[in-house]
Amino acid sequence: MIIRFGAMLLVALVAPAKPLVDLSGTLPVWLQAVILLLVCDFIIWCIHRSFHAVPFLWRFHRIHHSSPHLDWLASARVHPVEQVVFSAALTLPILFASFSPMAVAIYIGVYTLHANLLHADTRLSFGPLEAVFTPPRIHHWHHADQVEAYDTNFGSQLVIWDRMFGTAYRPEAERPSRFGVDMPPAENFVDHLVAPFRGQLTQTSDSKILET
């Protein structure tokens, strides 16, 4: 939380004194929240995809994927470098478009609850809403250590971006048979912190990145 707040504060210091667009006084709060969801979710999709595609960035993101048992605590298993990048990027639209504090609070509340649900050990279904919002079952496949699921389901809350860019994966199987990454770091904070700075990287044919 401290790292996330620090990243947001840094962006606030370099942001323009006057927002490029002031939405807080021109649109209702619910519409601001919807716009914020769409914009931030697309930013998350782009950054998330980059953290899988770029070997250097994958070093940090693989810490998030290293949990062999997926549960709600996995949502907090994030390297500080990755936290800084995501937090700074998500602060930009909030500052540059001047969303109302209530709209921001609604988005952060929904995002936090949904993020925990996505990683929880649950088979909760969203019913018809799964056509719009990512259900836990689908995000579980993003964490699967199975070739057919690699580099899929990058969307955080919405399914639209994965469908638009061809990275959606919705198998008939209810749940992956295994989670995690090859050669995961030891299960302690220090190893998670320093693991991205150790070893060299090789890119395998199945697009999983391994440390050698």
Side-chain angles (χ1 to χ4, degrees):
M1 182 63 70
I2 295 176
I3 294 173
R4 189 168 297 173
F5 178 77
M8 297 172 70
L9 180 61
L10 179 62
V11 173
L13 292 175
V14 300
K18 185 178 180 179
L20 300 181
V21 180
D22 186 359
L23 299 179
S24 62
T26 58
L27 296 176
V29 171
W30 69 267
L31 184 54
Q32 292 182 54
V34 170
I35 294 173
L36 195 57
L37 169 63
L38 288 169
V39 172
C40 288
D41 202 67
F42 180 65
I43 291 174
I44 290 174
W45 189 95
C46 293
I47 297 177
H48 193 180
R49 184 69 186 91
S50 299
F51 268 88
H52 277 259
V54 179
F56 175 73
L57 296 179
W58 171 250
R59 282 178 174 252
F60 301 98
H61 188 56
R62 78 189 301 270
I63 302 302
H64 178 61
H65 279 263
S66 65
S67 177
H69 307 289
L70 204 61
D71 56 41
W72 67 274
L73 287 173
S75 64
R77 183 190 288 242
V78 182
H79 194 279
V81 170
E82 181 177 350
Q83 278 192 326
V84 168
V85 172
F86 272 93
S87 298
L90 293 179
T91 303
L92 290 174
I94 295 174
L95 295 177
F96 280 72
S98 185
F99 290 89
S100 73
M102 180 58 71
V104 174
I106 292 173
Y107 169 70
I108 292 177
V110 171
Y111 172 84
T112 302
L113 174 61
H114 193 201
N116 287 325
L117 280 177
L118 289 180
H119 296 89
D121 184 10
T122 177
R123 290 170 173 77
L124 176 68
S125 171
F126 291 169
L129 292 178
E130 291 187 4
V132 178
F133 297 101
T134 304
R137 182 181 79 84
I138 297 305
H139 192 71
H140 288 179
W141 280 100
H142 174 74
H143 282 264
D145 187 18
Q146 298 176 217
V147 175
E148 64 273 21
Y150 291 166
D151 296 331
T152 62
N153 300 341
F154 296 106
S156 174
Q157 293 182 270
L158 305 176
V159 301
I160 181 175
W161 314 120
D162 283 310
R163 288 178 171 173
M164 184 179 298
F165 296 108
T167 53
Y169 182 63
R170 294 201 169 201
E172 292 298 325
E174 182 66 25
R175 192 172 175 84
S177 60
R178 62 183 182 276
F179 298 102
V181 296
D182 299 303
M183 296 183 289
E187 286 293 292
N188 64 76
F189 179 75
V190 174
D191 276 281
H192 284 190
L193 195 64
V194 302
F197 305 101
R198 290 174 174 167
Q200 297 178 343
L201 295 175
T202 57
Q203 179 78 43
T204 64
S205 59
D206 61 15
S207 79
K208 293 289 278 189
I209 301 173
L210 308 178
E211 292 188 3
T212 58

